Amino acid sequence: MKAFLEKKGVLAALIAAAGALLAIVTLEHGPGKGGSLLFSLLFFIAVVEGCIAAAAAGAMVNARWVGSVREELLSVSPLLLLLSFLLLLLIPFLDIYPWAGTPGIWLRKDFFIGRNLAFLLLAYVAARRFAAAPADGEGTKSRAAWYLLVFVTSQSLAAFDLVMSLEYPWISALLGGYFFIEALYGGFAVSAILCLLLHQRPPADSAPGSRSDLSDLSILMFGFSLMWAGLFFAQFLTIWYGNLPEEVGFIARRLSASPLRELCVAVLFLLFFIPFPALLSTRAKSNPYVVSAVAVSILSGILVERYVFLAPVVRFSPVAGAIDFALLLLLFLAVVYKGSRGTATKA
């Protein structure tokens, strides 16, 4: 299987085949298939764009850890083309959005798909330009900054358009920032897992008190757990203190019945109450088992939260959802493996 993946053109063929299969599964008539695709799309847009954003953010500040996982993080950029294609598959299902029956200037089907597609493609172009630049060469930081600018806009649009407008006229100015911070949080979690898989554990000959790439990534995950909790609390405080009917309804629908109520609590634990105490100590930040558990917790939290956002208003097909998610996950693993082999060949 590994030798098969390393053959020229195999990865592009696999992405094309997966796109065709996803189209067949989604467009075949059946209830809930559009919702299942939207769920997988939201999760993988965050993870793929977050991985590249983590590499770009590291390049901007000359972070040492970026050198050990840069190629693997940037190898996922071709998936942005596939995600752009999957966005087009949502066109027949846009009637699930309440504004579809009475379109306005901003919320109408052609503009809705057009602007989200444009920013996904822009993210792909910006990511490829950033990946083509030498790791520490001239122009790398400016290309990283351009990618981050597109990333922030693309994630904000995903939050406002794909999620928030599902419950129109629910309005939250904070949701865009919440989404791109969460995607970057997920990107650091993937970076930590890659660091562990590629380099196993921190070098044994490190000087006492020195930091490894893994501990640097742990510090980032620890800091972002606090930032995520701050954004969550700011949103919750505004809704609770302002007692805004249109925003209270969004929370109430998700806390009034099981299992969404329990899943909301799980999101808090997966994204804050597990990462924060687990990474408090210096020793834990270099422990491969603790760091890998925290990284998996963060990615699981983002996945569960995407479901909680959609579940009250979107129908799901379990079979179509499992196929969509499994195919995208396998492709993600395949492109990262291919990227790691490219790094090994250069070395």
Side-chain angles (χ1 to χ4, degrees):
M1 184 64 184
K2 292 179 179 178
F4 175 70
L5 279 176
E6 291 173 15
K7 291 181 180 176
K8 190 175 181 181
V10 166
L11 199 54
L14 282 178
I15 292 175
L21 184 55
L22 286 165
I24 293 171
V25 170
T26 304
L27 297 178
E28 185 187 357
H29 183 70
K33 293 188 175 178
S36 302
L37 178 64
L38 179 60
F39 169 63
S40 297
L41 194 58
L42 280 172
F43 177 72
F44 280 99
I45 286 177
V47 172
V48 171
E49 290 192 351
C51 285
I52 303 165
M60 291 291 293
V61 297
N62 295 323
R64 187 185 58 184
W65 61 266
V66 171
S68 59
V69 291
R70 182 180 189 273
E71 295 299 323
E72 290 76 14
L73 290 175
L74 295 179
S75 66
V76 302
S77 59
L79 292 182
L80 288 172
L81 280 180
L82 176 63
L83 295 172
S84 304
F85 169 70
L86 296 183
L87 181 73
L88 294 177
L89 297 180
L90 287 180
I91 293 175
F93 303 98
L94 289 185
D95 288 336
I96 61 176
Y97 287 88
W99 47 263
T102 53
I105 297 174
W106 178 260
L107 292 175
R108 65 173 200 266
K109 292 181 181 179
D110 52 353
F111 191 31
F112 178 90
I113 288 293
R115 61 177 175 262
N116 283 282
L117 179 63
F119 273 95
L120 273 176
L121 293 175
L122 268 178
Y124 169 73
V125 172
R128 298 300 290 178
R129 288 190 74 248
F130 173 50
D136 52 357
E138 186 178 354
T140 301
K141 288 189 178 180
S142 65
R143 294 185 184 194
W146 275 112
Y147 174 77
L148 288 173
L149 183 63
V150 175
F151 160 74
V152 166
T153 310
S154 176
Q155 282 296 311
S156 299
L157 276 179
F160 294 144
D161 283 350
L162 299 178
V163 175
M164 195 167 75
S165 75
L166 274 171
E167 300 215 39
Y168 182 78
W170 175 55
I171 296 171
S172 167
L174 192 61
L175 195 65
Y178 183 81
F179 257 56
F180 69 72
I181 290 296
E182 204 170 62
L184 196 51
Y185 192 17
F188 290 134
V190 174
S191 303
I193 293 173
L194 288 174
C195 192
L196 279 169
L197 291 175
L198 296 172
H199 306 289
Q200 301 300 314
R201 56 181 62 245
D205 57 350
S206 295
S210 65
R211 295 209 313 257
S212 65
D213 292 350
L214 187 63
S215 61
D216 285 347
L217 282 164
S218 298
I219 291 169
L220 281 169
M221 288 193 291
F222 179 76
F224 267 73
S225 73
L226 283 172
M227 183 179 287
W228 181 89
L231 285 173
F232 180 88
F233 184 68
Q235 175 86 351
F236 178 77
L237 186 66
T238 303
I239 295 171
W240 173 72
Y241 198 69
N243 194 23
L244 308 172
E246 64 272 21
E247 296 202 15
V248 170
F250 179 86
I251 300 291
R253 269 190 294 279
R254 286 154 181 81
L255 291 178
S256 58
S258 196
L260 286 183
R261 179 173 51 233
E262 289 76 14
L263 290 176
C264 288
V265 176
V267 170
L268 277 174
F269 272 86
L270 291 168
L271 289 172
F272 178 68
F273 287 113
I274 291 176
F276 179 75
L279 294 176
L280 264 178
S281 75
T282 303
R283 181 174 294 181
K285 290 183 178 69
S286 297
N287 185 307
Y289 300 106
V290 173
V291 175
S292 56
V294 166
V296 171
S297 171
I298 292 167
L299 294 171
S300 302
I302 296 173
L303 182 68
V304 174
E305 190 191 62
R306 296 296 184 268
Y307 178 78
V308 169
F309 277 144
L310 301 180
V313 285
V314 172
R315 295 181 66 185
F316 295 96
S317 164
V319 175
I323 293 173
D324 293 345
F325 190 84
L327 279 175
L328 290 171
L329 180 60
L330 288 174
L331 281 178
F332 184 87
L333 296 175
V335 295
V336 169
Y337 172 77
K338 184 81 172 176
S340 68
R341 295 305 299 164
T343 306
T345 304
K346 288 178 186 176

